[in-house]
Amino acid sequence: MIAGLARFPCALGPAGIATAKREGDGVTPLGSFAIRRLWRRADRAPRPPTGLPVRVTRPDDGWCDAVGHRRYNRPVRRPFSASHEAMWRDDGLYDLVFELGWNDRPVRAGRGSAIFLHAARPGFTPTAGCVALAPAVLKRLAGRIGPRTMIEIGGPVPRPRRRAI
């Protein structure tokens, strides 16, 4: 991942980057996306500085990934009868979660849900379709992300500028 002039290793979905994203396909969607808000575990760390709206994650928070459900690709409260992902995790991957604007305005059934920027596993093993960074990098970037920040996935990689001597 590139942020300004800094480059960071990241993990993506095992099926790579593509425009044709479908629920459960392991693809990370190609494109430029708004960062809607930051979810954070208040019991794990203090609130990082950020210009984003912040939601404190609770143990009963989830995210619906049931294609046919009316709450598809939206936050839900657990217990929840349809398929969903838990936002409160013990593994630390969701201690800080940046909610990306994928398939949300409007939501289209089956185009993929729960696409986030979150912490990577050791070794940067693949995600289910999200973008994952080292936890320290997430904290560092939080202070530089605001409501007008966009994340570009799979776009052109800018070349470093050469300085005149």
Side-chain angles (χ1 to χ4, degrees):
M1 176 176 174
I2 299 171
L5 296 177
R7 293 174 183 257
F8 306 103
C10 69
L12 302 171
I17 299 170
T19 55
K21 169 80 182 131
R22 303 298 303 163
E23 185 66 42
D25 64 3
V27 164
T28 299
L30 172 76
S32 186
F33 309 104
I35 301 174
R36 304 282 187 222
R37 65 181 152 183
L38 171 65
W39 295 61
R40 76 176 191 91
R41 286 273 304 256
D43 62 321
R44 297 275 174 99
R47 178 186 168 133
T50 186
L52 290 172
V54 177
R55 178 170 173 167
V56 174
T57 308
R58 296 181 295 238
D60 62 347
D61 281 327
W63 197 276
C64 180
D65 59 11
V67 173
H69 198 277
R70 66 179 179 81
R71 298 291 304 160
Y72 178 65
N73 199 29
R74 298 209 190 297
V76 295
R77 287 273 188 245
R78 300 173 42 206
F80 187 70
S81 61
S83 177
H84 65 280
E85 182 171 346
M87 295 298 291
W88 183 277
R89 296 175 59 135
D90 294 331
D91 60 10
L93 298 184
Y94 282 12
D95 287 358
L96 286 179
V97 177
F98 294 90
E99 180 184 326
L100 302 184
W102 168 256
N103 190 30
D104 65 341
R105 294 183 185 170
V107 173
R108 291 186 201 107
R111 283 213 54 216
S113 63
I115 302 298
F116 304 128
L117 174 62
H118 63 76
R121 289 181 180 88
F124 292 90
T125 59
T127 68
C130 296
V131 177
L133 297 167
V137 172
L138 283 178
K139 290 176 192 168
R140 180 175 163 193
L141 290 178
R144 294 182 165 95
I145 294 175
R148 293 176 28 169
T149 304
M150 302 291 286
I151 181 171
E152 188 167 334
I153 300 172
V157 177
R159 292 184 178 176
R161 294 185 188 181
R162 295 186 186 263
R163 298 178 86 166
I165 299 179

